Amino acid sequence: MKRKIDMLSGSISDKILAFAIPLALTGILQQLFNAADIMVVGRFASKQAMAAVGCNTPVIGLLVNLFVGISVGANVVIARFIGQGNSKDITKTVGTSVFLSLAGGLFLAVLGQIISRPILSLMSVPDEVFSMALAYLRIYLAGMPVILLYNFEAAIFRSNGDTKTPLICLIVAGVLNVALNLFFVIVLKRNADGVAIATVLSNLVSSAIMFILLVKSNTDIRLERTELKLNAYILRDILRIGVPAGVQAMVFSFSNIIIQSAINSLGADIMAASSAAFNVEIFSYFIVNAFGQACTTFIGQNYGANQLLRCRKVIHRALILDIACTVVMSLIIIACARTILGFFNEDSAVISYGRTRILFITPFQVLNVIMEIFSGALRGYGQSFAPAVITFFGVCAVRITWVCTMFASHGDFNTLLTCYPLSWIVTATILTVYYVIFSKRLLRGVPEKKTASQ
């Protein structure tokens, strides 16, 4: 709890890096632990079990991302109160956020048991993997209360500039996850259901550790039992920012479900390959996203303190740093693609198709930088609706149209993958234009003051 970053004064670039790097490592490690699920079943169970785990990724994303987006709303609201020096409302927001995560998790856990089978049927999951995919999805969704609790707790810590505590808790839980994966699959001879149980148990550990830290904290960022309830005023502000952010994330997931359905029609080899490639290429996205979240939090605090010129400098520095780090990570992924894919499955067809996906998607991650930085900046200003609408049309509409037209005509993997960079180009262009217009209006009339601290 003593790892906070002073976002309101002093240098900017080094503080953005101090915030973003642990956050990126958290995402990368979380994905490595998720990838361990696929690696373990791919190496010690079967290719079918590997496909069963992988095909659930977009479904889980669709159901989880709304609440993860709402946690961004909590981050922004707390950051703004920090900028204002409003200790009382900080504590209220922490209590409301934790209560909301548990309530939302229980809702998804119940809903998930009802809709799991129909969703997998709509996605055309092949019969050979359907039962394993269904078991994995139901167990994973049953763990939603602790999974969402971790995400909200992490957002609370990050609002104060502390990205290291969630990272440390994740490392502890992640090591446990890998050990449990091996135990359930190798010792108990389970397949997809075993790694799902391991995932839920490890999330229980990480969320419990951070819950205890919040309760025992002696700072404004603490959880008081009397505030563990929904505060209507605070909830309204969280939802105003968080729901559009969650819908924006759900748009990506919904379009990915459409794409996953198309992938499922191409057979188990491509299903397994796409699953493995996703778990590799997403490493570069975690770099992209970390700087976007840094932008949201830094601007949230500085906008709360009415430091608009510093907000603009934050965006410029975050954009440059994000591009540089993303390019480096993308080059590493492309160079090591075959070797990394081999850890998931040694089948030559799986490795070949997986490398094809990586080459289609990873070089264009720099477009995601523009999308994440400008979306993150707008959310920090409290403008969450516009990027959600732009993303809906730029990502979801473009991808679904492409799948229903070009892929339907050609029916090959390469044609399908083209929808990713195409949708990013459209969305990044529109978001850039919108942000430039918004920024000019926001800063109109603000004097160009320069201080030594900036």
Side-chain angles (χ1 to χ4, degrees), residues 20-34:
I21 296 303
L23 182 54
L25 288 174
T26 299
I28 290 171
L29 285 174
Q30 195 165 32
Q31 191 60 36
L32 282 173
F33 295 136
N34 291 341

Side-chain angles (χ1 to χ4, degrees), residues 367 370-371 374-375 378 386-398 422-438:
L367 295 170
I370 298 172
M371 293 165 56
F374 289 152
S375 291
L378 289 166
V389 173
I390 293 170
T391 300
F392 174 79
F393 287 103
V395 172
C396 192
V398 169
L422 179 63
S423 65
W424 291 336
I425 290 170
V426 172
T427 309
T429 301
I430 299 173
L431 261 176
T432 300
V433 172
Y434 180 88
Y435 170 75
V436 170
I437 295 172
F438 172 83

Side-chain angles (χ1 to χ4, degrees), residues 32-46:
L32 282 173
F33 295 136
N34 291 341
D37 293 355
I38 296 177
M39 285 183 182
V40 169
V41 293
R43 302 279 294 193
F44 301 107
S46 66

Side-chain angles (χ1 to χ4, degrees), residues 36 64 208 210 229 402 442 452:
V64 172
M210 288 202 290
K229 58 186 178 182
W402 185 267
L442 182 71

Side-chain angles (χ1 to χ4, degrees), residues 400-423:
I400 292 175
T401 300
W402 185 267
V403 170
C404 294
T405 56
M406 299 304 294
F407 175 72
S409 298
H410 295 80
D412 66 275
F413 194 39
N414 290 5
T415 300
L416 177 62
L417 293 175
T418 304
C419 72
Y420 284 104
L422 179 63
S423 65

Side-chain angles (χ1 to χ4, degrees), residues 362-380:
T362 304
F364 295 95
Q365 286 287 1
V366 70
L367 295 170
N368 259 332
V369 171
I370 298 172
M371 293 165 56
E372 288 292 327
I373 293 297
F374 289 152
S375 291
L378 289 166
R379 284 193 289 268

